[in-house]
Structure formats: structure tokens, C-alpha cells
Amino acid sequence: MKFQLVCFLFWTVISAGFSQNQNSIIDKIQKNEFGEGKVTIHQDAQISDIIGKRNSASSPSTEKEHIKISGYRVQVFSGNNQRLSKEEAFKKEQLVKEFNSEISTYITYKSPFWRLRVGDFRNYEEAYLLLRQLMKEFPNFGKEMYVVREEITIPL
């Protein structure tokens, strides 16, 4: 988390500095300042052309922007059997997707547990409503389903 914050702040400072004078980072580094050392960068001109531009191949404009906030999800499965838990998490994910293909599913591994969590809810009540629907639809999942507080992804 600290690393992400540092990267964000670094990128913000660099972006703010370059958005004002429209220079690239290469120009900024190579700029001669009194009392400072001199840096010379030797590279292909094509590299200078793409620095600071969004790569259209990896980030299409149709891709939605998201923010992460504190919210709730329903934990459907958690298991620590190394041989079976991963497989079971993916099977249960498939069943949940068949029940409702609109639900976001998240399978994570945090040693030694495989977990399946579903949904992105801003409040507990919405998550609890889905929990009740899932308990009704999948009674064989047992009492392991419950609402958890987690960082969620919300489209802008």
C-alpha cells in the first residue's frame, strides 16, 4: 500500500510538472541547470515519442475506469486444502456465474486459504440481500457464506 502511494505521488508530481510546459521527462532530465550535474540520454527517437502517451493497444478507450473504495462482498467459499480448495473455488464461481452472470467474482489465494468472494456493494444491506439469495439458491454451500468488509471496485 505504501509503495502504491509513493508511486501515485511520484506520478502526480511528474504529471503536474510536464503538463504545464509540455516537455517530456527526457527533456526535463537532460535540461542543464546551474549548479547541477549533466545527464545525457542516448536512445532511439521512437522511445521519446511514446513516453507519456497512453498505449492504445493495451488500454483501449472502451475500457471502463474504476475506483476502489471500502465496501462489502459476500464470501461464498474459503478453504485451506491445497489439493482441493482451488478447484472447489473455481467450481463454485462457475455456479454463481450461472445463477447471475452480472455478479463480479473474485478468487484470491492468501496462504493457506483459497477464497471466493462476490459482488461490489457500498453498504451492508445490499451485500446481505445477495447473501440471502445465494443461501436460498445454494443451500449445500453450508453456513460458510457471510458478508465481509473489503476494498471494492466501482466503475466511474
Side-chain angles (χ1 to χ4, degrees):
M1 184 69 180
K2 289 181 182 179
F3 178 73
Q4 292 172 337
L5 179 61
V6 169
C7 288
F8 174 75
L9 291 174
F10 177 73
W11 181 251
T12 303
V13 169
I14 288 177
S15 298
F18 295 128
S19 64
Q20 294 172 355
N21 54 12
Q22 299 297 321
N23 291 338
S24 73
I25 191 168
I26 303 301
D27 296 334
K28 182 75 172 174
I29 290 172
Q30 295 187 94
K31 186 176 180 183
N32 288 329
E33 295 286 332
F34 180 73
E36 293 183 6
K38 180 175 174 154
V39 176
T40 304
I41 299 175
H42 302 280
Q43 66 183 3
D44 191 334
Q46 291 177 341
I47 294 174
S48 296
D49 292 341
I50 63 171
I51 290 179
K53 296 180 182 174
R54 175 172 261 172
N55 185 353
S56 60
S58 66
S59 302
S61 59
T62 58
E63 192 174 293
K64 293 182 181 177
E65 297 288 328
H66 294 84
I67 59 169
K68 292 190 175 193
I69 62 171
S70 181
Y72 298 91
R73 289 191 176 137
V74 176
Q75 181 162 303
V76 175
F77 171 76
S78 178
N80 64 352
N81 184 329
Q82 292 296 320
R83 295 185 187 151
L84 302 175
S85 294
K86 179 180 180 181
E87 192 175 303
E88 189 171 347
F90 281 99
K91 284 181 183 177
K92 288 187 176 185
E93 177 191 34
Q94 186 64 34
L95 290 172
V96 170
K97 284 288 191 183
E98 289 173 5
F99 168 66
N100 184 345
S101 61
E102 300 287 318
I103 297 176
S104 302
T105 59
Y106 304 91
I107 294 178
T108 57
Y109 176 73
K110 189 172 183 181
S111 184
F113 291 98
W114 282 94
R115 292 187 174 106
L116 168 62
R117 293 181 176 174
V118 299
D120 290 308
F121 301 103
R122 294 180 188 198
N123 60 49
Y124 182 88
E125 289 76 21
E126 293 174 347
Y128 186 74
L129 180 62
L130 177 64
L131 171 67
R132 299 300 295 167
Q133 292 172 351
L134 291 172
M135 289 177 101
K136 185 177 179 183
E137 184 68 24
F138 305 108
N140 58 341
F141 283 9
K143 297 180 180 179
E144 65 183 291
M145 289 193 290
Y146 54 93
V147 176
V148 295
R149 185 169 189 83
E150 190 171 66
E151 187 174 76
I152 61 169
T153 306
I154 302 291
L156 291 177

